[in-house]
Amino acid sequence: MRYRDLLGMSASNLLRRKLRTVLTVLGVIIGTASIVVMVSLGLGLRKSSLEQIEQYGGLTTINVNNYGYYASTGSDEEAQRIDDKVVETIASIPHVELASPILSVGVMAKQGAYEGWLNIQGMNQEALQKMDIEVGEGELPPADGNLQLFYGNQVITNFYNAKTNEYYWDTMEVPDIDLMNDPIFIVFDTDAYYQSKGSGEGEQTVAPPKKYIIPTCGIMAGGLEDYGENCNSVFADIDALKTQLKKIFKNKVIPGQPSTKSGKPYKELYYEEVYVRVDSMEHVQEVQQEIQNMGYNANSNAEWMEQTQSQMGMIQMVLGGIGAVSLFVAAIGIANTMMMSIYERTKEIGIIKVLGCDLRNIRSMFLMEAGFIGFFGGLIGLILSGIISVIINSVVHKASEGYYEQLSYIPLWLILISLVFAVLVGMAAGFFPALRAMKLSPLAAIRNE
């Protein structure tokens, strides 16, 4: 018997008992939709967690620092300082793609009636280009030797009205400053700045420090509601920043830098942080451990990643198990439908056998019927799960005020696997009824009324 004939007979047998077929398919629809939605929730939670980790430093970056060391200024523990030689040593560690020192300088920015405290981070060009910073206006700090600043999308909220002492978070009104086009005055000598303001009688004041107009080269993409690792950062080319600082603080200790026991500055600059990028996530912990063995603090998102993967894996198993129960119940329904079909078609099966039809054709016919139920139930179940997923994402997005973009995530591989799985479950459920049909005695089947 040709497969075309088997397909036709299978389809006509299912259509003969429409209500029973529809109810059986409905069980598969519910089972497939349940397992897909449940698994999609686990995948969505994992995807959201990874995206959040990626926003706050990425999965292959390590932050090296010696926070707290400068509290012992003037001590002899110079080995724990981070200088260019230490950065070169870190860069030579196997699997390290790049290592950039971060020169941090706290400054006071002024524009009209507004002023704000900023932390400028000087980094080398390679790091600035590979940090995946999305530029909204302008460009990243160029390597032309001139100091230019690149502002994060939320830096504007650091400014406050110095006359009314009102901050953005008090009024929720954005300061009237155009960081890209307005001249931004930067005060590097913040100690002298605060001393010059003088707040009490008899308090000695000093002359106001010089203000420098530092041009803006660009602004990060995003609005005030878009949070990210660098949304409040101010970046600059590290060589241009060094040149500017050495020019301003000639023969003086640069704020944030250590000094000798006699209070004099060192010839070279030291760093509190190093931005390290590893070639793959698999080597992050290995590199991190080697840096820690050097005596420096080293932090990465790989630790969070392991915990997240473990938690998400357990959640996916639980959710998938809940959905699998529904599909198991649907499989029982398919088996019951096939058994009832055998009892109703006993005489038909006997005639087919007497006519000399191959037993494998009988088995194939029943397996096709069960496969049809699994296929159509799985296909409609996938459509239903897609609709449910859209509804879930819409409700959660509104309820979380945009924090969760996609709580339910259905990738293409899940769609294909679910459809194939539904067909296989249907055929597996129809396997034993098909064997029973093969074992029926032809003469007994023909006599049966």
Side-chain angles (χ1 to χ4, degrees), residues 405-425:
E405 290 288 341
Q406 199 174 34
L407 184 62
S408 176
Y409 171 60
I410 305 179
L412 180 60
W413 63 263
L414 179 59
I415 295 174
L416 297 176
I417 289 177
S418 299
L419 188 58
V420 172
F421 187 62
V423 173
L424 291 178
V425 167

Side-chain angles (χ1 to χ4, degrees), residues 110-129:
K110 298 176 69 67
Q111 212 306 305
Y114 297 95
E115 60 182 42
W117 177 265
L118 306 179
N119 184 46
I120 300 176
Q121 293 182 312
M123 302 180 71
N124 64 33
Q125 285 294 312
E126 185 180 9
L128 290 171
Q129 296 296 330

Side-chain angles (χ1 to χ4, degrees), residues 337-357:
T337 298
M338 292 296 100
M339 290 300 296
M340 291 297 295
S341 180
I342 290 172
Y343 288 128
E344 292 175 355
R345 295 156 56 193
T346 301
K347 187 174 182 178
E348 177 186 335
I349 295 170
I351 293 173
I352 292 175
K353 285 188 175 183
V354 169
L355 293 175
C357 183

